[in-house]
Amino acid sequence: MPSGSEDSMEEGVAPPLRITPLKTVYEDDFLIGNVVPRQYLSEDETYVLTTHHSAATAENAMKPQPLQPDKGNFKFEQADAIVNAVLAAGMKMHGHTLAWHQQSPTWMNEEGVSREEAIENLTTHARTVAEHFRGRVISWDVLNEAINDNPANPADWRASLRQSRWYQTIGPDYVEIVFRAAREGDPDAMLYYNDYNLDNRNKALAVYNMVKELNEKYPNVGGRPLIDGVGMQGHYSLQTNVTNVEDSIKRFGSLGVEVSVTELDVQAGTDYELTETQAISQGVLYARLFNVFKKYAETIARVTMWGLNDDSSWRSERSPTMFDAEFQPKPAFFGALNPTVFIAQNQKGGSKSAVKQAQVHYGTPKLDGNDALWDSAPEIPVNQHLTAWQGATGSAKVLWDDKNLYVLVAVHNAVMNKTNANPREQDSVEVFIDENNGKTGAFEKGDGQYRVNFDNEASFNPASIKSGFTSVAFASGAVYTVAMRIPFKTIKPANGTVVGFDIQINGASPQGMRQSVAMWNDLSGNSAGDTSGYGTLKLMK
Ligand code: 9MR
């Protein structure tokens, strides 16, 4: 930058107007990171990355598949080029990731690979890769996404582990095995457990219990406990409950480990479009999150965004980043840059996300779906995907009477698979109810999740809400219809009563794993334990 600005001012020329880089605003608090999506970046991408960020993560290049596609054949060229370019730009590099259930070569842990062999494959990969980048990365996501969503019993973290191939071939001790191998390979790098939806209380508790137990078991591996940090990915939406995010940061911090926000984005638009109101709401959410991050700056080491602009983001159709397709800063950028001022300026229009509301008619229909009473009920679309995979969608109708809520859902494009023993992996419909519309961070009485698959098998969360529930299901081709009768438990409904409500459609893959999730309103990913993102029904007589 030219240094003659004082002279220029004396000559009456205005100094150049510059926005302070995001990394400078937070330099006393934490590193500001973003992804390197591929080896060669455009000029605009390089500009945004190096101007505003002090740290980088390779979006894909350091995952197991690209680094060791065949056994013993390590391919470091691309990753090396990325790491070296990041370091040459004066930034820090973070490694992502040594063990994951995705983007990993099948030879490592496929059917037929013994436990011993799988352990050997896991340790060799983690140790070799960590060793290779030793001195060049500050930290590693050693293990990525190993805990189930909203686990039922987080006190038992082993029972909360995802049934991944690593789990199936090795068992729960694969967790400590991979951390120990990483520490061996690079004793200086900070070793992280990394996951999404850690604003979900149950998932956060399972992670907390896992890190606590393993650090108590291994208090001194090369001079310190085994696990150094928890990475909260932070794939958020306008419904994200910032208090839940804060609670989890506090909870992990209490373990004495550092916390990083590792993949921050906030989905807010649809079909690659972001309205002005959505852009402001998104800015407000970024601002509220950064206010929380600043408050916990002692605990937080790094805040990394997952996408240099909306165009290259993994969720580009929902415009989740701080820069638009032309690399212009969005309100989200200014929300992060100066949260307090942004919130004060935008409190009116943008502080709340638009919660969808459906008006519901009074009536007691037959559950077979043929009752003419359903005809006049307004349609509720269930077509916003939580997942990158755009699978089954549907539409719903709702009626109410003094005792029950009646829900009819027609699902399209289903593959009709229920081979997985876990009901949530099957093609199914879920209805979420928050009777007093309390929008609480955890389920209370009157809250519940009702799941029915295409074969009319029902499951409940909590199990106690089962009583009085009835359902029917009818499947034909790629379409199935589910009707439910759900008794009210804590309220006496009347004209004008507002009930928190949402619908989810789970789409299974032909292999029987859930591959898509479509919602009516709540895009937080936390509906199964947190009612704050639900839409609402207005009961009309
Ligand atoms: O952003 C990544 C995208 O380019 C890849 O196609 C995808 C493959 O699964 O992984 C994306 O990044 C993921 C990250 O590695 C782990 N957390 C979830 C991220 C978004 O899917």
Side-chain angles (χ1 to χ4, degrees):
M1 207 165 85
S3 56
S5 53
E6 278 184 24
D7 293 349
S8 310
M9 277 168 82
E10 274 166 25
E11 286 160 21
V13 180
L17 184 64
R18 283 190 191 279
I19 288 170
T20 312
L22 201 57
K23 65 180 177 191
T24 310
V25 170
Y26 289 101
E27 67 189 345
D28 294 335
D29 301 315
F30 33 73
L31 292 167
I32 293 285
N34 210 319
V35 289
V36 179
R38 67 199 98 75
Q39 186 178 346
Y40 298 104
L41 301 188
S42 70
E43 243 177 72
D44 286 329
E45 286 173 324
T46 307
Y47 172 80
V48 165
L49 181 67
T50 57
T51 304
H52 291 293
H53 304 88
S54 45
T57 305
E59 188 170 0
N60 290 298
M62 291 164 85
K63 292 172 178 173
Q65 171 70 37
L67 289 189
Q68 200 188 172
D70 310 298
K71 188 164 178 148
N73 178 16
F74 286 90
K75 293 197 157 173
F76 288 120
E77 297 77 7
Q78 271 210 25
D80 277 339
I82 289 174
V83 173
N84 293 342
V86 164
L87 297 183
M91 300 163 70
K92 306 279 189 211
M93 189 74 204
H94 168 74
H96 171 84
T97 171
L98 296 175
W100 193 19
H101 62 282
Q102 281 188 43
Q103 286 178 297
S104 297
T106 48
W107 64 261
M108 282 185 170
N109 50 26
E110 67 196 329
E111 208 116 335
V113 173
S114 68
R115 175 177 145 90
E116 289 64 37
E117 220 179 316
I119 291 176
E120 165 70 21
N121 291 343
L122 182 62
T123 33
T124 304
H125 184 82
R127 199 191 319 107
T128 310
V129 172
E131 211 161 27
H132 178 84
F133 293 102
R134 185 172 176 185
R136 291 187 289 164
V137 301
I138 52 166
S139 47
W140 269 104
D141 292 332
V142 174
L143 179 56
N144 196 34
E145 302 175 5
I147 297 284
N148 278 328
D149 292 334
N150 197 38
N153 179 17
D156 186 351
W157 66 266
R158 287 183 179 80
S160 307
L161 284 170
R162 183 190 293 276
Q163 302 281 311
S164 69
R165 288 301 308 159
W166 285 126
Y167 179 93
Q168 284 164 348
T169 46
I170 300 177
D173 50 344
Y174 92 89
V175 176
E176 60 193 80
I177 289 172
V178 69
F179 273 98
R180 292 174 65 190
R183 178 64 46 81
E184 246 180 75
D186 184 351
D188 305 318
M190 299 296 270
L191 303 185
Y192 273 73
Y193 175 74
N194 191 52
D195 214 327
Y196 62 89
N197 284 3
L198 291 185
D199 48 325
N200 174 284
R201 180 148 60 178
N202 286 345
K203 195 163 176 179
L205 271 172
V207 171
Y208 171 93
N209 288 325
M210 175 176 78
V211 173
K212 183 164 187 287
E213 186 187 314
L214 293 183
N215 279 355
E216 279 166 5
K217 180 171 176 190
Y218 297 103
N220 186 357
V221 188
R224 60 193 202 276
L226 186 59
I227 300 175
D228 296 301
V230 174
M232 297 176 64
Q233 291 186 2
H235 293 296
Y236 295 138
S237 74
L238 295 183
Q239 284 98 18
T240 293
N241 182 331
V242 178
T243 309
N244 291 356
V245 175
E246 177 168 358
D247 286 349
S248 293
I249 295 172
K250 228 190 307 185
R251 178 166 284 135
F252 298 135
S254 75
L255 288 169
V257 299
E258 62 182 46
V259 173
S260 283
V261 178
T262 55
E263 306 181 12
L264 180 63
D265 55 13
V266 178
Q267 51 176 321
T270 43
D271 293 335
Y272 305 91
E273 285 201 13
L274 188 70
T275 64
E276 228 179 290
T277 318
Q278 287 168 334
I280 297 293
S281 299
Q282 185 182 47
V284 170
L285 197 81
Y286 269 100
R288 292 176 59 214
L289 288 167
F290 270 83
N291 263 343
V292 169
F293 301 157
K294 213 174 150 58
K295 182 169 163 194
Y296 293 90
E298 289 283 302
T299 303
I300 295 181
R302 174 173 54 90
V303 175
T304 287
M305 270 56 76
W306 206 248
L308 291 169
N309 78 342
D310 283 346
D311 210 25
S312 62
S313 154
W314 73 295
R315 269 198 170 147
S316 55
E317 74 280 10
R318 302 221 186 266
S319 311
T321 76
M322 294 185 185
F323 292 88
D324 70 14
E326 273 75 49
F327 293 91
Q328 296 300 334
K330 294 160 55 184
F333 172 80
F334 295 101
L337 196 72
N338 197 342
T340 309
V341 168
F342 189 90
I343 290 169
Q345 285 172 347
N346 293 285
Q347 229 153 17
K348 250 179 94 201
S351 58
K352 276 244 174 320
S353 70
V355 175
K356 286 189 185 146
Q357 184 170 84
Q359 309 235 331
V360 182
H361 300 173
Y362 188 85
T364 306
K366 300 271 180 310
L367 282 193
D368 68 1
N370 290 319
D371 194 321
L373 262 181
W374 290 113
D375 294 350
S376 58
E379 295 231 0
I380 297 175
V382 188
N383 57 8
Q384 299 200 78
H385 282 104
L386 261 185
T387 43
W389 188 266
Q390 313 277 309
T393 55
S395 65
K397 293 191 168 203
V398 183
L399 291 163
W400 71 285
D401 63 20
D402 299 340
K403 293 205 176 112
N404 303 295
L405 204 61
Y406 302 87
V407 185
L408 179 72
V409 189
V411 178
H412 308 278
N413 300 325
V415 295
M416 308 289 179
N417 190 310
K418 58 163 200 168
T419 50
N420 200 303
N422 188 343
R424 65 184 204 122
E425 306 282 335
Q426 306 170 352
D427 271 286
S428 55
V429 170
E430 297 180 15
V431 166
F432 298 93
I433 302 220
D434 171 11
E435 286 190 356
N436 64 0
N437 195 28
K439 302 238 170 315
T440 46
F443 271 10
E444 51 178 24
K445 225 166 171 258
D447 299 341
Q449 174 185 18
Y450 302 80
R451 182 191 298 107
V452 177
N453 72 8
F454 62 90
D455 218 7
N456 200 28
E457 291 158 328
S459 40
F460 305 89
N461 165 35
S464 58
I465 59 175
K466 181 177 180 175
S467 126
F469 175 90
T470 336
S471 64
V472 296
F474 176 77
S476 159
V479 178
Y480 70 96
T481 307
V482 172
M484 307 183 198
R485 186 188 72 189
I486 305 170
F488 289 113
K489 296 186 179 58
T490 59
I491 56 165
K492 277 202 183 339
N495 185 28
T497 298
V498 174
V499 173
F501 178 85
D502 227 296
I503 303 192
Q504 173 171 326
I505 293 174
N506 299 315
S509 68
Q511 292 74 35
M513 301 295 279
R514 183 166 81 179
Q515 63 180 352
S516 71
V517 174
M519 301 295 305
W520 175 44
N521 185 76
D522 187 5
L523 295 176
S524 69
N526 285 336
S527 319
D530 174 351
T531 63
S532 39
Y534 294 4
T536 59
L537 299 178
K538 190 163 188 190
L539 310 185
M540 311 292 285
K541 230 176 187 169

